Amino acid sequence: MTGIDAAGRPPQEGAAGGIAVSGADGQLGAEVCRQLGSAAAPLIWPEFELTEHAAVRARLTDLQPRVLIHCAAYTQVDRAESEPEVCRAVNALAVENLVAICRELDCVLVQLSTDYVFGADAQRRTPYREGDPAGPLSVYGSSKWEAEQRVRAWPRHFIVRTCGLYTRSAGGPIRGRNFVDTLRVLGPERGELRVVHDQLCTPSYVPHVARAIRFLIGTQAYGTYHVVNAGQTSWYEFAAEIFRLAGQSVRLEPIRSDQYGAAAARPKYSVLSTAKYGELGGPELPDWQAALAEYFAGADAG
């Protein structure tokens, strides 16, 4: 393991080759690019269309990156139930192409994954470790699990599973951007919201996840890691904390998942253990309450 410097940067940053970041216009990709600065080579749709395999190969061959941080994905969890082949083409088959390219370029591949690769164990109530059996419940979760298996064919990889990503939007909260932003818009509009209370997980603050990824690519400790904020909560409890910190008076009604009526099934319990990441000595992953407070304070991590 090569470690990081006092500023939290991998020692290779700024070296020839650079770090390509797909999905650089998304929440996580944009934050990774911000933290990497000039070391980042942003890749954005539609110029970087994952299903155009030959064009993707040409672009990456031209860039010759030493690391590819793959943040782009099909993330419409409910819509994927009605267009599974589209979801699989982006989340699994495109990743198979990236694996082949990274092998040719001898490039480290960082694959972003999700807590939704779990969920089939309805009795689970202890945090999942990286080696626990997967059991996705949705088309989206299955596509991300398939991608993970394809990525493992290339030894120089990091698979980073995370959950419920959110970050601040420039100019204020944007409905649909993430759970926190969406509730901050809908709460004042409606005054009353129904929120699921029977799904336990750990929503995670994007700057913390990006900082951890920066740390990981400065090591050679390849493999799968869970990178989420500490602790666990339900979406109902998370919503209550959002409105408390926002100083907004919104009436919340807790409901069951089956009352919400989403097209895709979600895990009832998908809390991830970060013990393996912690053993590397990387930057802290604060608990979810502290992370949410950082979002409201406007503090950047990294």
Side-chain angles (χ1 to χ4, degrees):
M1 185 169 71
T2 55
I4 58 174
D5 67 14
R9 294 184 296 263
Q12 303 98 321
E13 283 184 26
I19 302 169
V21 183
S22 71
D25 54 345
Q27 289 190 104
L28 182 58
E31 178 63 19
V32 167
C33 288
R34 187 193 71 80
Q35 292 191 20
L36 289 173
S38 61
L43 300 170
I44 298 173
W45 183 89
E47 289 79 13
F48 192 75
E49 168 54 68
L50 288 170
T51 59
E52 298 291 339
H53 294 184
V56 167
R57 180 182 299 276
R59 180 69 175 124
L60 290 175
T61 300
D62 181 60
L63 281 175
Q64 293 286 309
R66 54 190 170 75
V67 180
L68 169 60
I69 301 176
H70 182 43
C71 299
Y74 180 112
T75 58
Q76 300 298 314
V77 177
D78 290 316
R79 185 174 174 179
E81 296 297 310
S82 62
E83 49 182 33
E85 292 308 315
V86 176
C87 177
R88 182 170 181 260
V90 175
N91 285 354
L93 301 183
V95 169
E96 182 177 38
N97 185 49
L98 293 178
V99 169
I101 297 167
C102 287
R103 187 186 298 276
E104 292 169 10
L105 300 179
D106 194 27
C107 173
V108 174
L109 175 59
V110 182
Q111 167 69 20
L112 269 295
S113 194
T114 172
D115 60 318
Y116 281 17
V117 301
F118 298 113
D121 184 356
Q123 306 307 313
R124 183 82 182 209
R125 286 301 178 269
T126 56
Y128 283 97
R129 297 182 67 90
E130 288 80 356
D132 286 337
L137 299 175
S138 64
V139 168
Y140 168 74
S142 295
S143 73
K144 297 297 280 186
W145 172 239
E146 182 179 348
E148 287 192 17
Q149 295 175 82
R150 294 177 185 275
V151 168
R152 291 190 180 98
W154 172 231
R156 300 185 67 207
H157 75 263
F158 294 97
I159 294 169
V160 176
R161 292 178 182 147
T162 190
C163 170
L165 294 178
Y166 66 95
T167 193
R168 299 189 312 280
S169 298
I174 300 173
R175 179 175 177 175
R177 176 73 166 172
N178 57 59
F179 185 83
V180 182
D181 272 13
T182 297
L183 262 63
R184 290 183 64 194
V185 173
L186 291 182
E189 283 182 0
R190 299 182 180 179
E192 180 177 347
L193 295 174
R194 303 165 76 234
V195 183
V196 170
H197 74 87
D198 60 353
Q199 296 173 17
L200 295 176
C201 60
T202 311
S204 296
Y205 189 40
V206 163
H208 296 163
V209 176
R211 183 175 61 185
I213 291 171
R214 283 171 49 210
F215 167 77
L216 287 171
I217 64 174
T219 78
Q220 295 179 1
Y222 303 124
T224 302
Y225 293 89
H226 292 166
V227 177
V228 293
N229 285 118
Q232 66 180 45
T233 187
S234 70
W235 292 111
Y236 171 81
E237 293 167 334
F238 192 51
E241 184 68 0
I242 290 167
F243 292 127
R244 186 187 74 81
L245 291 172
Q248 296 174 331
S249 180
V250 178
R251 184 177 180 275
L252 292 176
E253 177 188 350
I255 61 171
R256 300 185 311 272
S257 300
D258 59 356
Q259 292 176 288
Y260 186 72
R266 269 74 167 173
K268 290 297 184 69
Y269 184 93
S270 59
V271 179
L272 304 179
S273 168
T274 60
K276 181 180 175 183
Y277 168 81
E279 289 169 0
L280 292 181
E284 178 189 7
L285 294 166
D287 65 59
W288 68 267
Q289 295 100 325
L292 187 59
E294 281 192 37
Y295 165 98
F296 279 99
D300 288 320

